[in-house]
């Protein structure tokens, strides 16, 4: 009996990535066809609406970019930790922490001019994310406590804090009894680009570029790569793993905090408990789709943003939000599976006969889907 | 020669197995008679683990045959091997800590209905029958290492294994527990079961086992039908053995230069927290090769790690070029002139998923900087120089090194370590697993470095290599240096008895 085994590719070829991606998305669309048919919708109409809503015209494109921007930032945040083999599951919370500190600063310094206030808010957003990450980062680097658990738990703490601020100390006195925080000052909105798109997109792109250069072109990035791919070799080279873990996690938290500040100044009118809107969790998917690479984050965030915008738009055709969610999930799942084939290929294996050793490694799980795989 | 394995409990015939960059088995044989305890001996990397993993269905051999109880077998998974009567007890136990002894024993082979009382009763009977005290109702996490090992053995007996493989079973045991284990294994052998016993502890091998197979470099180097006929010394010699491995002409003795490496009263613990090094004093001078002789597991690994800064000594002092480096990081020690070719090339010395260029600058990336930036041109140039100077055969410099052969990996690693004229080179098993050209190339580099005035500490398990290259030999046994010998005039028998812990006085 033949059975498939995943084998790690010796060399990753960019062309195969594109092919795997397209095949993956096409598969999802075909499966979605069945889903839409059986639920009584016209697939052609639905797909056309999705595509139009996400890509056709500047307004559509702007909406996609608006969505993709926080996804790119949280995706990068997760990827920074991921490059060291660490999982920041709590970007959602760090995003909230960043937005909270930024909102607090805006309240205290609303006399400042726009650019100055925005700059201050962005910096305090980074600081907020880092503060929330400080505990998990130190616990991980010095005590070996799993960052997966601690970062995740703090998500709920951060969201509850904002809820408390909404109903308590920061409640807007002019809100007619609604539990909302006062809007951020007018001058603290990020300049727009076109439609709903704002320069947060450029900030995200710039940061991705800087980070990707830092990783591939600086001694700091070299140490990070070495420590991430081969911890014992890094130790041998005299690199302090503890410090690398600490910086990677803090940086990750800071970028997620920045996402919060950008969201607050770019798209939201005020700090609210729904501000993070799942972007932090979605960042995990973005980073996984991107295989933890900054260049991949750009593409993955854009695709994810488009899928979200498109998925929402079809609800106006009477497609239930559940079906829309399933469709979105199918597309992302297909992309994720496709990403596996960036690094792995399938080999069919018969019952007996000679086999090369890498088959067994893949089978035994030594080299099979680990962190950096997906 | 019999054409079938009918007479043997186990017959592994001409086993070949290759891993990327390493030939683990090159046609090794292993025959185990029923009702015997069979010692499988050999240095690290000789192929013992690969052989038993082939027997246990974990690896499929590239070539060769597996016979168990007179039948040729083609195992596709460990489950097949278990079904055929092969039981494995690994060094790292595979038990579920939260389950009880009885639950662990029946795990995976439980009858459809789990009746706890009945199973516990039967487990108790089984353990009584083999004289292994084990309370079936206790959770495994409460047990000592020795007790856990008993659970592993009982697990195999529960599945009625006719062949039990034990990998370094006494490494985790107290001497008392080890003696009990010997009695249990004997009871099993008397019932007609066979035991394959892997160990470095030769005194225990002689005490417990009936026959032995010695592997060396993936081949069967010797078989002993009756261990009562041989003594510890010749066994130690067989294990370390000869590779015909001195490919380089013996360099003429030189005047020793100044002291470049010195260890004073070094003691250290191993990963399990047990003493690994005790009161080690040694010096290496410029322009000499000091060879460390010993059966592996006697502290060589820890010695290299303490010297290079990867392991903190419990006490003592390490000095490089007269400077105290006991508290210095591995990187700082390199900066002071201490180069290191570790035993675990791919795990410690190199980063397999990174490129040839990245790997070549592990030591020197800090000097390839301009401001914050790493100057890629300079890194590539540095890498090209290394590759040319040390004859590393590589594909593209930006491809991961995982695809390189063992010899080329070692050339790259050694070249990188030698690139900045070190004062001392610690080389641990530098030629293990390499092909003939690789061995010759590495050895001639070591000799060349000696001529350049580098002090070399050569840790090896190849006596030929050590005798051919070294200016002085130090024998290690159980974490101590038990003797110092001139390499050319010392007979093997003397080295052999020193390695077995009885240095001639």
């Amino acid at each position: 009996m033949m059975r498939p085994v995943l084998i790690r590719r010796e060399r990753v070829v960019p062309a195969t990535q594109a092919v795997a991606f397209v095949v993956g998305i096409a598969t999802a669309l075909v499966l979605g066809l069945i889903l839409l048919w059986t639920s009584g919708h016209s697939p052609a109409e639905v797909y056309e609406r999705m595509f139009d809503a996400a890509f056709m015209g500047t307004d559509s494109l702007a909406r996609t970019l608006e969505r993709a921007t926080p996804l790119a930032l949280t995706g990068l945040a997760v990827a920074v930790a991921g490059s060291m083999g660490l999982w920041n599951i709590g970007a959602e919370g760090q995003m909230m922490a960043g937005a909270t500190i930024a909102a607090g600063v805006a309240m205290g310094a609303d006399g400042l001019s726009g650019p100055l206030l925005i700059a201050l808010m962005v910096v305090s957003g980074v600081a907020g994310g880092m503060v929330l990450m400080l505990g998990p980062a130190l616990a991980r680097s010095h005590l070996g406590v799993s960052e997966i658990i601690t970062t995740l738990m703090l998500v709920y703490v951060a969201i509850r804090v904002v809820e408390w601020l909404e109903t308590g100390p920061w409640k807007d006195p002019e809100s007619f009894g609604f539990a909302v925080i006062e809007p951020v000052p007018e001058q603290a909105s990020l300049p727009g680009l076109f439609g709903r798109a704002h320069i947060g997109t450029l900030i995200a792109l710039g940061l991705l570029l800087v980070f990707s250069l830092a990783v591939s072109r600086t001694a700091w990035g070299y140490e990070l790569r070495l420590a991430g791919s081969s911890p014992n070799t890094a130790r041998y080279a005299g690199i302090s793993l503890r410090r690398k873990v600490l910086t990677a996690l803090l940086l990750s938290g800071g970028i997620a905090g920045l996402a919060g500040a950008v969201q607050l100044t770019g798209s939201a009118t005020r700090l609210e408990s729904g501000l993070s809107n799942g972007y932090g969790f979605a960042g995990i998917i973005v980073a996984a789709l991107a295989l933890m690479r900054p260049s991949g984050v750009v593409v993955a965030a854009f695709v994810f943003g488009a899928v979200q915008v498109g998925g929402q738009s079809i609800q106006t055709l009477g497609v239930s939000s559940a079906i829309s969610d399933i469709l979105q999930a199918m597309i992302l799942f297909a992309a994720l599976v496709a990403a596996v084939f960036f690094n792995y290929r399938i080999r069919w294996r018969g019952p007996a006969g000679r086999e090369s050793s890498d088959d067994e490694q893949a089978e035994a799980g030594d080299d099979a889907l680990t962190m950096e795989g997906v | 020669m019999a054409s079938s394995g009918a007479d043997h409990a186990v017959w592994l015939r001409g086993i070949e197995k290759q891993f990327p960059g390493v030939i683990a088995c090159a046609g090794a044989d292993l025959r185990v008679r029923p009702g015997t305890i069979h010692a499988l001996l050999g240095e690290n990397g000789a192929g013992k683990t690969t052989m038993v993993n082939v027997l246990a269905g974990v690896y499929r051999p590239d070539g060769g045959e597996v016979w168990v109880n007179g039948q040729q077998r083609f195992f596709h998974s460990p489950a097949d091997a278990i079904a055929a009567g092969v039981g494995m007890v690994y060094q790292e136990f595979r038990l579920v800590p939260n389950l009880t002894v009885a639950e662990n024993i029946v795990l995976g082979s439980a009858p459809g209905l789990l009746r706890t009382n009945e199973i516990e009763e039967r487990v108790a009977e089984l353990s009584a029958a083999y004289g292994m005290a084990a309370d079936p109702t206790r959770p495994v996490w409460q047990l000592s290492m020795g007790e856990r090992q008993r659970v592993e053995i009982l697990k195999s007996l529960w599945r009625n294994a006719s062949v039990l493989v034990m990998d370094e079973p006494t490494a985790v045991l107290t001497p008392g527990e080890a003696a009990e284990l010997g009695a249990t294994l004997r009871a099993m052998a008397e019932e007609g079961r066979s035991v394959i016993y892997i160990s470095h502890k030769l005194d225990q091998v002689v005490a417990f086992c009936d026959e032995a197979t010695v592997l060396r470099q993936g081949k069967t180097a010797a078989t002993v039908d009756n261990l009562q006929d041989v003594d510890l010394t010749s066994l130690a010699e067989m294990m370390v053995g000869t590779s015909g491995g001195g490919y380089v002409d013996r360099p003429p003795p030189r005047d020793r230069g100044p002291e470049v490496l010195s260890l004073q009263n070094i003691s250290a613990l191993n990963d399990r927290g047990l003493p690994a090094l005790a009161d080690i004093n040694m010096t290496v001078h410029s322009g000499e090769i000091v060879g460390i002789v010993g059966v592996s597991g006697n502290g060589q690994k820890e010695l290299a790690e303490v010297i290079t800064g990867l392991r903190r000594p419990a006490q003592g002092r390490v000095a490089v070029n007269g400077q105290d480096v006991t508290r210095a990081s591995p990187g700082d020690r390199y900066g002071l002139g201490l180069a290191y070719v570790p035993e675990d090339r791919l795990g410690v010395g190199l980063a397999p998923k990174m490129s040839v260029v990245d790997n070549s600058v592990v030591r020197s990336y800090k000097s390839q900087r301009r401001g914050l930036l790493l100057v890629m041109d300079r890194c590539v140039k540095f890498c090209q120089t290394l590759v040319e100077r040390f004859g590393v055969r590589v594909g593209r410099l930006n491809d991961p090194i995982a695809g390189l052969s063992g010899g080329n990996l070692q050339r790259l690693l050694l070249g990188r370590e030698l690139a900045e004229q070190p004062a001392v080179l610690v080389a641990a098993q530098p030629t293990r697993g390499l092909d003939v050209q690789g061995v010759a190339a590495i050895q001639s580099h070591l000799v060349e470095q000696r001529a350049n005035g580098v002090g070399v500490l050569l840790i090896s398990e190849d006596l030929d290599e050590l005798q051919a290259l070294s200016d002085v030999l130090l024998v290690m046994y159980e974490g101590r240096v038990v003797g110092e010998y001139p390499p050319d005039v010392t007979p093997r028998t003397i080295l052999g008895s020193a390695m077995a812990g009885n240095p001639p006085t």
Side-chain angles (χ1 to χ4, degrees):
Chain A
M1 194 184 67
M2 298 287 275
R3 59 200 176 95
V5 175
L6 284 179
I7 313 284
R8 181 174 269 279
R9 292 179 194 275
E10 275 174 24
R11 183 178 302 148
V12 177
V13 191
T16 59
Q17 297 189 9
V19 170
F21 200 69
V22 169
V23 171
I25 301 284
T27 311
L29 293 180
V30 171
L31 290 174
L33 211 74
I34 300 167
L35 175 76
L36 291 168
W37 241 322
T38 50
S39 59
H41 301 282
S42 152
E45 197 187 352
V46 170
Y47 283 156
E48 195 188 344
R49 173 66 65 90
M50 280 182 85
F51 189 82
D52 282 353
F55 301 116
M56 298 311 281
T58 47
D59 277 357
S60 304
L61 216 50
R63 261 196 297 277
T64 296
L65 286 180
E66 190 202 6
R67 285 264 173 176
T69 297
L71 290 170
L73 287 170
T74 53
L76 176 64
V78 177
V80 169
S83 67
M84 277 284 298
L86 301 164
W87 281 107
N88 175 11
I89 302 297
E92 187 89 12
Q94 294 133 26
M95 204 177 152
M96 278 310 240
T100 307
I101 305 292
V105 165
M107 284 178 200
D110 58 357
L112 289 177
S113 71
L116 204 59
L117 182 57
I118 289 171
L120 199 61
M121 286 172 73
V122 165
V123 170
S124 35
V126 173
M130 283 187 173
V131 167
L132 197 67
M133 182 55 107
L134 193 63
L138 283 170
R140 169 67 208 221
S141 66
H142 285 69
L143 302 171
V145 178
S146 166
E147 76 287 354
I148 300 177
I149 312 290
T150 49
T151 52
L152 178 62
M153 289 192 302
L154 286 177
V155 170
Y156 304 103
V157 174
I159 293 176
R160 294 292 177 267
V161 166
V162 175
E163 283 175 358
W164 170 67
L165 290 172
E166 274 178 333
T167 51
W170 285 5
K171 187 176 164 189
D172 186 357
E174 292 157 36
S175 69
F176 307 105
F178 289 107
V180 291
I181 295 167
E182 65 182 86
V184 290
E186 198 103 321
Q187 76 271 28
S189 357
L190 282 180
L193 288 176
F194 56 93
R196 294 187 55 86
H198 52 79
I199 65 160
T201 309
L202 301 182
I203 297 179
L205 279 176
L207 204 62
L208 280 158
L209 187 69
V210 166
F211 184 74
S212 112
L213 283 178
V215 165
S216 60
R217 290 290 151 83
T218 67
W220 175 84
Y222 176 80
E223 290 179 351
L224 198 70
R225 281 186 290 137
L226 191 61
S229 95
S230 230
N232 282 326
T233 311
R235 229 160 70 76
Y236 162 101
I239 295 166
S240 158
L241 285 181
R242 198 170 264 195
R243 211 151 61 204
K244 282 284 163 286
V245 167
L246 202 60
T247 41
L249 283 178
L250 285 179
L251 205 58
S252 174
I255 296 169
L258 174 80
V262 166
Q263 193 63 10
L264 180 68
T265 51
S267 298
T269 46
R270 55 164 60 88
L271 175 67
E272 54 191 344
S273 53
L275 179 112
S276 54
N277 191 27
Y279 288 119
F281 291 129
I284 302 166
I285 303 173
V286 169
L289 273 174
L291 304 177
M292 303 296 165
R293 282 183 227 134
S295 55
V297 167
V298 177
V299 180
F302 186 74
V303 170
F304 205 146
V307 169
Q308 279 194 345
V309 170
Q312 272 184 350
S313 71
I314 57 175
Q315 292 177 26
T316 59
L317 291 174
V319 178
S320 76
S321 66
I323 298 282
S324 154
D325 284 349
I326 294 174
L327 198 58
Q328 290 181 41
M330 274 169 32
I331 294 173
L332 294 172
F333 188 75
L336 211 52
V337 171
V340 172
F341 293 99
F342 293 178
N343 278 340
Y344 294 85
R345 61 198 160 83
I346 283 190
R347 181 182 290 171
W348 287 90
R349 186 151 95 166
R354 295 157 65 99
E355 281 132 275
S356 69
S357 52
D358 56 3
D359 286 19
E360 277 145 10
Q361 282 181 11
E363 189 182 33
D366 292 355
D367 207 18
L369 305 177
T370 46
M371 297 221 41
E372 18 70 275
V374 157
Chain B
M1 193 174 81
S3 60
S4 84
D7 314 338
H8 297 99
V10 171
W11 188 19
L12 297 176
R13 187 179 176 199
I15 298 296
E16 290 168 24
K17 181 76 199 172
Q18 226 172 335
F19 293 103
V22 187
I23 298 168
C25 288
D29 294 304
L30 171 66
R31 296 183 199 211
V32 182
R33 285 183 292 136
T36 59
I37 306 179
H38 190 105
L40 184 57
L41 304 173
E43 295 298 344
N44 288 332
K48 295 173 309 228
T49 309
T50 309
M51 288 289 272
V52 296
N53 274 330
V54 165
L55 178 60
V58 175
Y59 295 149
R60 261 175 278 188
D62 299 336
E65 296 170 6
V66 177
W67 294 71
V68 178
N69 295 325
Q71 266 185 294
Q72 190 173 0
R73 299 286 190 169
F74 301 93
F75 296 146
H76 298 154
S77 71
D80 292 350
I82 291 170
V86 178
M88 258 317 256
V89 178
Y90 288 94
Q91 256 177 295
E92 309 290 333
F93 299 140
R94 302 185 175 189
L95 299 171
V96 185
N98 286 332
L99 296 186
T100 66
V101 169
E103 285 166 340
N104 265 288
I105 287 172
V106 302
L107 192 66
S109 65
L113 260 178
L114 261 181
R115 270 180 306 190
T116 315
N117 288 341
E118 189 190 319
I119 286 169
E120 282 172 359
E121 233 164 78
R122 281 170 59 193
V123 167
E125 279 167 26
L126 191 66
S127 55
Y130 290 89
M132 284 183 282
D135 179 353
T137 61
R138 280 178 72 191
V140 160
W141 61 266
Q142 293 180 347
L143 305 183
S144 74
M145 284 308 198
E147 289 171 308
R148 288 181 204 203
Q149 188 177 61
R150 275 179 234 152
V151 177
E152 284 277 14
I153 296 173
L154 284 168
K155 219 162 106 181
S156 289
L157 288 172
W158 179 267
R159 289 163 177 72
N160 202 18
S162 58
V163 179
L164 183 70
V165 182
M166 306 215 54
D167 192 359
E168 290 279 357
T170 55
V172 295
L173 301 185
T174 63
E177 285 175 327
E180 277 174 39
L181 173 68
T184 304
L185 297 183
R186 183 51 61 196
M188 290 173 62
E190 271 161 15
E191 274 191 347
R193 300 181 204 268
S194 306
V195 178
I196 298 176
Y197 186 98
I198 302 178
S199 179
H200 289 300
K201 296 191 177 161
L202 296 182
D203 46 346
Q204 284 172 357
V205 165
V206 171
F208 293 172
C209 302
D210 306 309
E211 47 183 38
T213 297
V214 181
L215 295 182
R216 206 181 304 135
Q217 296 179 332
K219 294 196 179 112
T220 302
T223 53
V224 179
D225 289 336
N226 190 348
L227 273 172
Q228 308 313 317
D229 296 345
V230 295
D231 56 19
L232 281 179
T233 304
S234 49
L235 211 52
E237 265 180 80
M238 274 188 230
M239 275 179 78
V240 178
T242 58
S243 62
Y247 291 102
V248 176
D249 283 339
R250 186 174 171 65
R254 293 166 38 106
D255 294 334
R256 295 201 301 192
E259 199 175 285
V260 286
L261 173 70
S262 86
L263 272 63
Q264 290 165 12
N265 309 319
I266 287 288
S267 301
L269 302 177
N270 65 14
D271 293 336
R272 290 201 180 90
L274 302 171
L277 297 176
D279 200 24
I280 300 263
N281 288 288
M282 62 174 70
T283 53
V284 178
H285 294 83
S286 162
E288 75 173 348
I289 296 181
V290 175
I292 302 287
V293 186
V295 174
S296 68
N298 277 292
Q300 294 98 317
K301 177 170 163 273
E302 288 82 5
L303 177 70
E305 288 175 350
V306 164
I307 294 173
T308 53
L310 292 173
R311 184 179 295 274
R312 273 273 144 84
Q315 64 177 57
R317 179 172 175 274
V318 182
V320 172
N321 259 337
Q323 228 173 319
D324 188 339
V325 297
T326 316
R327 317 225 105 234
S329 82
D332 293 342
R333 290 181 203 213
Y334 177 80
L336 290 169
L338 175 69
Y340 178 33
V341 174
E343 180 176 341
D344 183 1
R345 286 160 217 160
L346 275 177
V348 176
L350 300 165
K353 286 176 192 157
M354 291 173 77
S355 71
V356 182
V357 174
D358 283 341
N359 272 286
S360 67
V361 297
V362 163
R363 291 298 201 180
S364 59
Y365 66 93
K366 281 187 181 149
S367 45
Q368 321 286 357
R369 284 182 301 188
R370 186 185 300 134
L372 282 173
L373 290 183
L374 204 56
V375 185
M376 291 319 282
D377 291 354
R378 262 198 270 163
C379 293
V380 171
K381 209 177 227 170
F382 182 84
C383 176
Q384 273 165 344
T385 317
L386 275 191
V387 165
E388 278 161 32
R389 197 174 136 208
F390 289 87
V392 192
R393 276 209 301 271
V394 291
R396 290 185 232 180
L397 294 184
N398 283 322
D399 280 354
I401 56 157
L404 299 188
S405 75
N408 283 314
L409 288 173
Q410 190 68 322
R411 285 186 183 99
L412 181 69
L413 175 52
L414 182 67
R416 183 189 76 201
E417 292 303 303
L418 296 176
E420 291 173 288
Q421 289 302 323
V424 194
L425 172 67
V426 176
Q429 318 298 350
T431 60
R432 178 196 286 165
L434 305 188
D435 59 14
V436 175
Q437 292 110 310
V439 172
I442 300 297
Q443 288 181 347
S444 58
H445 281 304
L446 295 180
V447 170
E448 189 190 314
Q449 291 306 311
R450 170 180 173 273
N452 292 345
V454 176
V456 180
L457 186 73
L458 175 61
I459 300 174
S460 175
E461 284 160 0
D462 182 340
L463 263 189
D464 278 336
E465 174 174 278
L466 286 165
Q467 288 198 300
L469 301 182
S470 309
D471 295 288
V472 59
L473 294 176
L474 302 178
V475 180
M476 282 189 74
Y477 177 74
E478 299 207 326
R480 290 172 188 279
V481 174
V482 294
E484 179 174 336
Y485 302 95
D488 34 3
V489 296
T490 309
R492 290 274 161 111
T493 48
I494 294 193
L495 291 176
S497 26
M499 281 188 282
N502 314 305
T505 41

